Amino acid sequence: EGSRGSAAVAQDLKNSRETQKERQGKLDLNPPRGTRDFYPEDMRTRSWLFELWRQVARDHAFEEYDAPVLESEDLFVRKAGEEVTEQLYNFEDKGGRRVALRPEMTPSLARMVMAKRNGLVMPVKWFSFPQCWRYERMTRGRRREHYQWNMDVWGVSGVEAEAELLSAITTFFKRVGLTAEDVGIKVSSRGVLAEVLAALDVPDAKFSATCVLVDKLEKLPLEAIQGDLTALGLEESVVRRLLDVVQSRDFPSLETAIGAKSTALAQLRQLFEYARAYNFEEWLVLDASVVRGLAYYTGIVFEAFDRKGELRAICGGGRYDKLLETFGGEALPAVGFGFGDAVIMELLESKGLVPSLSLGLDALVFAMEAGLQGIAIRAATSLRAAGLTVDLQLEARKTKWALKHADRLGATYVVIVGPEEVAGCNVRVKEMATGQQHVVAIANLESWISATFTT
Ligand SMILES: CC(=O)Nc1cnc2ccccc2c1
């Protein structure tokens, strides 16, 4: 190897990079690293989850929006050492533009709000189900994409907005069969940290990065981020004070830690009072150690967790009143949450709360011979006109196969188009549940079915 010129070695490299296709003569059928395919049975579960999320969003009168998965990299460049920006799935496109697959939806939403600012009626209450991306060295084998239900309220500075969002989250949990014994929601406020830092004369400019570090402290030992704390210029005494305050797990200890005149404390009390009016107070846990890892949160923050403590956070969110200012716009109060599709499914599966989803097929229609396909088409079409879901077999089938397939698909009826029946201008309808068979004139199949189906 050593004796060969670099060109030769480069050639070797090029050859060894021959496409997988050439090497094995076939395409790699797996989806890209860290991503998932959704086959129909997977898609039924995903659609079931999204439909529940959508119902809750609709019940709270939120409106759906969307934005491109591809955004300018500038939207996500923040200098607060967050994991979500350190793992940005970014690249340069063929036009030489720095772009990224969105790691979260909030910046895109902020861009959309800022773009139409004065044309929007406040408050804005919008939801979306964006697929979000991260580029993580596959050393940890974690996923690189997930779907994340987002709900946000723009234009409301009071904790009424946080309360409404927590109502959506707890409504979803109740609707899916989880109770406050299964799941809790830790609630705190970065206002607490802001008040502590202000009392210690720490400049505002250090607020976001300090919060991100305190969030990391929840997961890592102090020495692991000592370097970052020092780099940020946080003195030992400040770090010790912060670590002391975030120990508070109830109102008396929080009041002792930050004083009775604290605005952040008053807002938290107000939120817990609203929680009683919404009947979701049993889900809330005051826990000052909740900081969340996103740089732009400024006030109340919250995260749902499984009470057994076996899983990562189920969802999380908070107030981010200054995000538009970081984009050079005028401030507009905002609060929102992100709810990923992975942890919740793990929790629901562990509790047997994911229903087995059949196709919900009303009728399977088939012709016994190719020459009868036209009749089968006519029968299927009239059933569909009556609003039924119909699987029309596109090739002639043996009755035995068709009945087995109808059973597999969970069809309520099978419509058999056979030579004898057709000779008398009829079709045969079999009720799969009872095995009962009816000979029905093709002419009044539609009325027969709708009469039968209305019962
Ligand atoms: C459990 C899981 O899939 N987490 C996950 C997967 N992909 C992401 C992609 C972007 C940001 C956060 C992500 C989080």
Side-chain angles (χ1 to χ4, degrees):
E1 185 86 323
S3 60
R4 301 188 57 200
S6 60
V9 170
Q11 184 56 42
D12 285 356
L13 254 181
K14 188 174 170 308
N15 294 342
S16 72
R17 263 205 304 273
E18 70 185 356
T19 63
Q20 179 138 351
K21 199 173 164 57
E22 288 154 2
R23 189 166 43 253
Q24 300 165 358
K26 57 184 183 298
L27 212 54
D28 176 355
L29 301 179
N30 298 304
R33 276 171 178 271
T35 68
R36 299 164 286 176
D37 292 328
F38 286 86
Y39 284 88
E41 65 268 23
D42 311 313
M43 203 60 204
R44 277 198 289 277
T45 306
R46 182 176 129 190
S47 300
W48 166 80
L49 176 67
F50 281 30
E51 261 325 292
L52 273 168
W53 278 345
R54 191 186 301 279
Q55 253 169 31
V56 169
R58 288 298 307 131
D59 293 352
H60 285 73
F62 278 59
E63 296 176 279
E64 192 164 6
Y65 71 100
D66 198 1
V69 68
L70 185 75
E71 285 278 10
S72 159
E73 187 186 60
D74 298 345
L75 210 56
F76 309 109
V77 172
R78 303 192 290 254
K79 306 210 176 4
E82 302 148 278
E83 184 171 283
V84 90
T85 54
E86 285 169 351
Q87 298 177 340
L88 202 55
Y89 207 128
N90 56 348
F91 54 95
E92 189 154 309
D93 74 9
K94 291 193 168 72
R97 284 175 204 79
R98 296 296 306 167
V99 289
L101 297 180
R102 65 185 167 213
E104 52 167 342
M105 193 60 155
T106 307
S108 300
L109 172 59
R111 175 178 59 72
M112 290 171 69
V113 168
M114 199 162 147
K116 279 191 74 176
R117 172 97 191 230
N118 301 323
L120 293 172
V121 175
M122 290 294 153
V124 152
K125 298 189 286 192
W126 292 355
F127 74 97
S128 189
F129 304 128
Q131 185 177 34
C132 297
W133 295 80
R134 66 185 172 194
Y135 190 87
E136 198 173 55
R137 300 274 163 233
M138 282 317 274
T139 43
R140 293 165 63 176
R142 293 202 306 176
R143 292 224 314 260
R144 284 184 174 161
E145 54 76 23
H146 71 159
Y147 287 88
Q148 191 192 59
W149 175 32
N150 275 249
M151 292 266 278
D152 290 83
V153 178
W154 285 72
V156 175
S157 50
V159 299
E160 292 77 11
E162 284 87 337
E164 185 73 346
L165 290 171
L166 288 167
S167 166
I169 291 172
T170 50
T171 301
F172 167 78
F173 285 142
K174 292 173 188 172
R175 223 168 260 179
V176 83
L178 290 169
T179 71
E181 279 61 56
D182 301 315
V183 169
I185 303 176
K186 292 176 190 167
V187 180
S188 184
S189 171
R190 284 198 176 172
V192 169
L193 297 180
E195 289 170 11
V196 168
L197 292 173
L200 298 171
D201 297 324
V202 174
D204 283 358
K206 297 188 180 187
F207 175 69
S208 290
T210 302
C211 291
V212 172
L213 284 176
V214 172
D215 177 64
K216 284 181 181 167
L217 263 180
E218 288 308 305
K219 297 153 196 138
L220 299 168
L222 182 62
E223 45 278 356
I225 65 161
Q226 187 55 58
D228 299 333
L229 291 165
T230 318
L232 191 53
L234 287 182
E235 286 152 38
E236 270 297 301
S237 58
V238 172
V239 176
R240 253 200 314 282
R241 171 83 174 115
L242 289 174
L243 289 179
D244 176 52
V245 170
V246 300
Q247 301 312 315
S248 311
R249 298 278 187 284
D250 55 51
F251 279 103
S253 68
L254 187 55
E255 180 167 334
T256 308
I258 57 170
K261 290 195 294 300
S262 157
T263 318
L265 182 60
Q267 287 170 352
L268 285 163
R269 286 197 204 283
Q270 179 64 66
L271 181 58
F272 275 72
E273 187 189 315
Y274 286 144
R276 281 189 283 281
Y278 276 104
N279 292 324
F280 62 68
E281 199 212 357
E282 57 177 340
W283 296 75
L284 301 193
V285 175
L286 180 74
D287 182 336
S289 71
V290 177
V291 183
R292 298 298 293 166
L294 290 170
Y296 48 69
Y297 287 139
T298 55
I300 297 234
V301 285
F302 49 86
E303 83 186 16
F305 65 100
D306 73 298
R307 296 231 191 217
K308 280 191 196 157
E310 291 163 353
L311 304 169
R312 297 171 305 289
I314 298 166
C315 66
R319 179 165 287 277
Y320 53 98
D321 287 347
K322 297 183 178 161
L323 186 55
L324 287 197
E325 284 170 288
T326 66
F327 289 168
E330 231 180 286
L332 188 64
V335 57
F337 68 77
F339 196 139
D341 67 344
V343 178
I344 186 63
M345 287 316 295
E346 227 176 296
L347 178 62
L348 293 176
E349 269 140 29
S350 74
K351 292 192 180 295
L353 291 172
V354 181
S356 60
L357 301 157
S358 79
L359 272 170
L361 195 62
D362 293 329
L364 181 144
V365 178
F366 76 100
M368 288 174 70
E369 300 160 4
L372 301 174
Q373 189 65 18
I375 307 286
I377 288 168
R378 196 173 293 284
T381 303
S382 69
L383 297 179
R384 286 169 175 159
L388 301 184
T389 55
V390 177
D391 177 301
L392 168 61
Q393 287 299 306
L394 304 177
E395 291 161 317
R397 295 293 187 193
K398 297 239 173 307
T399 301
K400 190 164 171 296
W401 185 92
L403 292 177
K404 189 159 63 64
H405 193 58
D407 199 43
R408 245 194 319 255
L409 298 183
T412 310
Y413 289 94
V414 175
V415 177
I416 302 158
V417 182
E420 310 79 52
E421 292 83 3
V422 170
C425 296
N426 298 316
V427 290
R428 180 185 302 276
V429 181
K430 176 171 182 174
E431 276 186 78
M432 294 303 283
T434 62
Q436 220 178 342
Q437 306 222 13
H438 313 265
V439 176
V440 182
I442 294 171
N444 63 12
L445 177 62
E446 196 163 325
S447 52
W448 183 86
I449 283 269
S450 45
T452 321
F453 263 75
T454 41
T455 51

